[in-house]
Amino acid sequence: MKHEKTLSDTLENNTAAYPGYSVCADDDCLDELQDSETATIEKLSGAVTTLLEGLGEDPDREGLVKTPERVAKSLRFLTKGYSQDPEELLKKAVFTESYDEMVLVRDIDLFSMCEHHMLPFFGKAHVAYIPDGKIVGLSKLARVVEVFARRLQVQERLTQQVRDAIEHVLNPRGVAVVIEARHMCMVMRGVEKQNSVTTTSAMSGEFIASESTRSEFLRLIHGRS
């Protein structure tokens, strides 16, 4: 079938032309694929073809010939967090430091996919911790959010996973995570409430024990001095 030939030909031709470099096809750019990943994309492409047929479409018409391949590559990117270990990522940038006040990174852009409908949800994450002898590179807090977000998720679990990873690696005096997101499963379908925002929080240590610490965190993430 035409759509099956397109995927294998594209991967083979690009890999041969640019050995050791990224494999780019149309508007999609990937790291060089391993054999197991190529098999995964082939499998995903077949599933998308079945889906198109189930919708009453013709996968061989011009506009859809490469759609199974594109969707497969897109899903591989959107779920790349499954192949990454957020705690190992944090451990690469841990430093001994006597600083013992709150560290906050707010407004971290977040894009994920709801596991119930496989529709996007997106928004901002705010992550804070109070060190106890160890700090971590600031970018790693954003990367932990990214790793967990790039999986099929529910917002509640995502919020807790970010908190727990930071807690396990740094053993700080407290961790606080708040996520604010819009869910396309509520906007595009179902109740169709376009302006709804879901907020979840997960805290530990001093952020639970101390009302003033918790209030300071909440004040800071909403931009109030």
Side-chain angles (χ1 to χ4, degrees), residues 1-224:
M1 296 176 67
K2 289 166 63 178
H3 48 267
E4 293 175 346
K5 292 179 181 177
T6 299
L7 174 61
S8 59
D9 290 347
T10 298
L11 296 176
E12 184 176 317
N13 292 339
N14 281 332
T15 303
Y18 305 100
Y21 293 88
S22 295
V23 177
C24 298
D26 294 336
D27 55 342
D28 295 313
C29 194
L30 303 171
D31 295 332
E32 187 173 358
L33 297 175
Q34 304 299 316
D35 289 343
S36 60
E37 294 176 304
T38 302
T40 297
I41 289 184
E42 292 278 6
K43 187 175 182 179
L44 288 170
S45 296
V48 176
T49 298
T50 301
L51 177 63
L52 291 172
E53 292 170 344
L55 293 173
E57 272 288 0
D58 175 11
D60 288 326
R61 73 174 175 84
E62 183 180 9
L64 293 177
V65 167
K66 298 187 73 174
T67 294
E69 175 188 351
R70 291 190 183 101
V71 174
K73 289 180 178 180
S74 175
L75 287 172
R76 175 178 177 263
F77 177 81
L78 293 172
T79 60
K80 64 181 180 179
Y82 285 121
S83 62
Q84 299 172 316
D85 185 333
E87 293 193 15
E88 288 302 314
L89 185 153
L90 281 171
K91 290 175 183 177
K92 292 179 180 179
V94 174
F95 307 98
T96 301
E97 185 60 57
S98 60
Y99 186 83
D100 60 359
E101 299 292 334
M102 187 187 307
V103 178
L104 167 65
V105 179
R106 74 178 196 187
D107 296 329
I108 300 169
D109 290 325
L110 176 151
F111 302 90
S112 191
M113 289 177 63
C114 161
E115 68 180 29
H116 299 146
H117 302 98
M118 291 186 68
L119 288 172
F121 66 92
F122 57 91
K124 303 284 187 181
H126 315 287
V127 180
Y129 71 99
I130 300 173
D132 188 13
K134 292 187 291 186
I135 62 171
V136 69
L138 296 177
S139 68
K140 295 298 185 286
L141 297 177
R143 288 189 180 278
V144 166
V145 173
E146 174 79 0
V147 169
F148 284 120
R150 295 300 187 182
R151 302 176 181 183
L152 297 182
Q153 279 288 9
V154 295
Q155 185 175 328
E156 297 89 340
R157 181 173 66 236
L158 170 60
T159 310
Q160 292 177 324
Q161 287 175 329
V162 173
R163 176 201 61 191
D164 292 347
I166 297 168
E167 196 160 45
H168 292 163
V169 173
L170 294 181
N171 194 26
R173 288 160 46 201
V175 181
V177 180
V178 167
I179 293 177
E180 302 167 306
R182 296 181 182 274
H183 291 248
M184 290 300 98
C185 59
M186 289 182 65
V187 173
M188 297 175 64
R189 58 163 297 282
V191 294
E192 297 184 78
K193 300 303 180 185
Q194 284 78 13
N195 297 313
S196 62
V197 176
T198 299
T199 301
T200 50
S201 68
M203 302 186 187
S204 67
E206 290 191 15
F207 289 97
I208 293 176
S210 170
E211 183 178 349
S212 62
T213 301
R214 184 167 61 254
S215 296
E216 180 186 2
F217 167 69
L218 296 174
R219 185 174 67 251
L220 289 172
I221 69 174
H222 292 111
R224 296 192 295 271

